[in-house]
Amino acid sequence: MDKKLEELKTTTDNSMANSTIFSDEIPMNFSLSGIFDMPCDGDNKGSLGFMDLLGIHDYAPSSLFDLPLTTTSPSSTTMPMPPHHHHPLPSPAETSEVLNATPTTPNSSSISSSSNEAAATIDEQTKPVKEEDTEHQQDQDKTQKQLKPKKKNQKRQREPRFAFMTKSEVDHLDDGYRWRKYGQKAVKNSPYPRSYYRCTSAGCGVKKRVERSSDDPTIVVTTYEGQHTHPSPATPRGSIGISPVDSGGFIGSATAASVPFVVPQLPHYQQQQHSYIYSSPSSLNMISSTGFHNPSLPAFVQERHNNNSYVPSLANSLLRDHGLLEDIVPTQMRKELKDDLVE
DNA sequence: CGCATTTGACCCGCGC
DNA sequence: GCGCGGGTCAAATGCG
């Protein structure tokens, strides 16, 4: 714990003002965070390139993301330098320390991973079957159509999630893929609803959730779940996202086979200025444990690690956010962090 | 007309 | 067991 803390501190102290990477100690979790300021014109309607927004092309090797490195770079974004190796997971105390800091600022960012999802399975695949099966049963018992679509006695599992926070006025970021909204729910303790989207491509079960931070309405938290099975319609290469299999990206380099997680399609933001809080999937820990090293992380993430001066912001957001962030950072962990802060 | 969005109902897991 | 909250479904509705 202490060691991790120290390491975290070190990285934080050296990090740049706008970036933050931290990891939690929860098994199978690995958190990274960073905020990226992107050029922005305030237009909510435009198609924004996430990568452009992130300025990843300026910092991340194309091989890492398999992205077209083009267009503008973030005006105010300084990407964190990648650590040479995987750093220990921060202890609650560490995070709490961070959390005590000021609220997220436009230039700050953070990444966190969700918990208990590393071993996620493709639950989605069972759905189509379920729906088909129930289709002919609807007349018999409508209430049954949604009952126990999943295996009995088996804890529901999810695909690894990849969440990032975006400072943007746009809720639904254009990431190059086509999404259909299939639900919206009010978020507890937040005046902003959470929207649920599903990739419209046939056979692609990727989902994403979008919600605004209740603390900072300018921050949009987007959580991707699953892996696209097709190229991005907006990108011939279909590789905005990082594919572990063919791009050696973020996670893929070390986990192509064992880690289903893929860095989600990154939205194209070309005109607005955004800040991203990037969250790695819980599977990252698994990756790290299997030889995954930070050098495999996207440059923008890694730089965060060394130039982390906004950890406080991140932590603060995590503690206060009651939406997806809560999901990303287990409540218990947050409590612990909070307690540590009190001390 | 086809597709996307809205929205209330429902399912499920979890904590008490 | 019950209630709460997250997540999903699907009919209704909207829109190009």
Side-chain angles (χ1 to χ4, degrees):
Chain A
M1 288 289 233
D2 293 342
K3 289 179 180 179
K4 292 177 182 178
L5 178 64
E6 289 303 316
E7 186 166 344
L8 178 63
K9 286 180 178 178
T10 300
T11 57
T12 300
D13 290 342
N14 294 335
S15 66
M16 58 183 294
N18 293 338
S19 64
T20 297
I21 294 174
F22 82 90
S23 62
D24 60 63
E25 199 160 18
I26 294 172
M28 301 310 288
N29 281 341
F30 181 78
S31 298
L32 300 176
S33 62
I35 291 174
F36 309 91
D37 290 340
M38 299 304 180
C40 150
D41 64 1
D43 183 356
N44 295 342
K45 303 293 183 182
S47 174
L48 303 178
F50 181 72
M51 294 308 285
D52 290 340
L53 189 63
L54 291 176
I56 288 172
H57 52 276
D58 288 340
Y59 308 96
S62 60
S63 62
L64 193 62
F65 288 86
D66 190 18
L67 298 170
L69 303 182
T70 61
T71 69
T72 62
S73 62
S75 60
S76 62
T77 300
T78 303
M79 291 313 203
M81 294 305 291
H84 291 297
H85 55 78
H86 179 71
H87 67 283
L89 297 175
S91 65
E94 290 179 357
T95 23
S96 64
E97 206 175 309
V98 173
L99 293 176
N100 230 358
T102 60
T104 301
T105 64
N107 292 333
S108 66
S109 65
S110 63
I111 295 171
S112 63
S113 65
S114 61
S115 63
N116 301 328
E117 294 177 359
T121 60
I122 301 174
D123 181 291
E124 320 303 331
Q125 295 178 353
T126 64
K127 283 189 176 180
V129 174
K130 174 203 83 175
E131 291 175 357
E132 291 178 359
D133 291 344
T134 58
E135 191 169 346
H136 67 278
Q137 296 177 351
Q138 289 179 353
D139 292 344
Q140 295 178 354
D141 186 353
K142 210 165 188 180
T143 60
Q144 288 274 324
K145 69 180 178 180
Q146 292 181 348
L147 289 176
K148 300 180 189 245
K150 287 133 190 163
K151 296 176 182 178
K152 295 178 180 178
N153 298 329
Q154 206 159 25
K155 189 174 183 178
R156 183 180 179 180
Q157 292 182 321
R158 294 173 179 166
E159 300 247 359
R161 287 193 244 168
F162 179 96
F164 61 90
M165 297 172 72
T166 307
K167 187 174 182 63
S168 171
E169 295 179 4
V170 180
D171 288 342
H172 190 190
L173 308 180
D174 183 353
D175 53 18
Y177 289 88
R178 295 193 61 183
W179 302 90
R180 168 176 289 187
K181 187 176 185 178
Y182 66 89
Q184 177 172 306
K185 290 283 289 187
V187 178
K188 186 181 178 183
N189 297 323
S190 174
Y192 306 98
R194 176 181 303 153
S195 297
Y196 299 87
Y197 297 89
R198 183 173 293 149
C199 184
T200 59
S201 295
C204 182
V206 176
K207 290 177 285 187
K208 77 174 179 180
R209 283 160 285 179
V210 178
E211 75 174 77
R212 279 190 184 279
S213 170
S214 61
D215 292 322
D216 187 351
T218 65
I219 292 180
V220 176
V221 179
T222 303
T223 302
Y224 290 91
E225 184 174 336
Q227 179 176 335
H228 288 288
T229 59
H230 57 93
S232 169
T235 57
R237 295 178 67 186
S239 304
I240 289 179
I242 296 135
S243 169
V245 174
D246 61 16
S247 66
F250 189 16
I251 294 174
S253 63
T255 64
S258 61
V259 178
F261 171 76
V262 176
V263 173
Q265 52 295 328
L266 303 175
H268 283 284
Y269 286 79
Q270 297 173 339
Q271 295 178 350
Q272 291 187 331
Q273 181 164 3
H274 302 265
S275 296
Y276 286 93
I277 295 175
Y278 179 95
S279 174
S280 67
S282 58
S283 59
L284 282 178
N285 271 354
M286 183 163 64
I287 292 168
S288 64
S289 66
T290 59
F292 175 76
H293 294 294
N294 283 346
S296 297
L297 296 172
F300 72 92
V301 172
Q302 294 181 2
E303 286 187 51
R304 293 290 175 197
H305 188 264
N306 290 337
N307 297 310
N308 185 358
S309 63
Y310 276 80
V311 171
S313 298
L314 170 62
N316 195 23
S317 295
L318 291 173
L319 286 176
R320 299 191 305 173
D321 193 284
H322 297 287
L324 286 174
L325 290 179
E326 194 168 60
D327 190 18
I328 294 165
V329 179
T331 302
Q332 184 174 349
M333 173 182 168
R334 293 169 57 193
K335 287 179 179 178
E336 289 177 359
L337 293 175
K338 222 166 189 176
D339 291 340
D340 289 340
L341 288 175
V342 171
E343 293 176 0

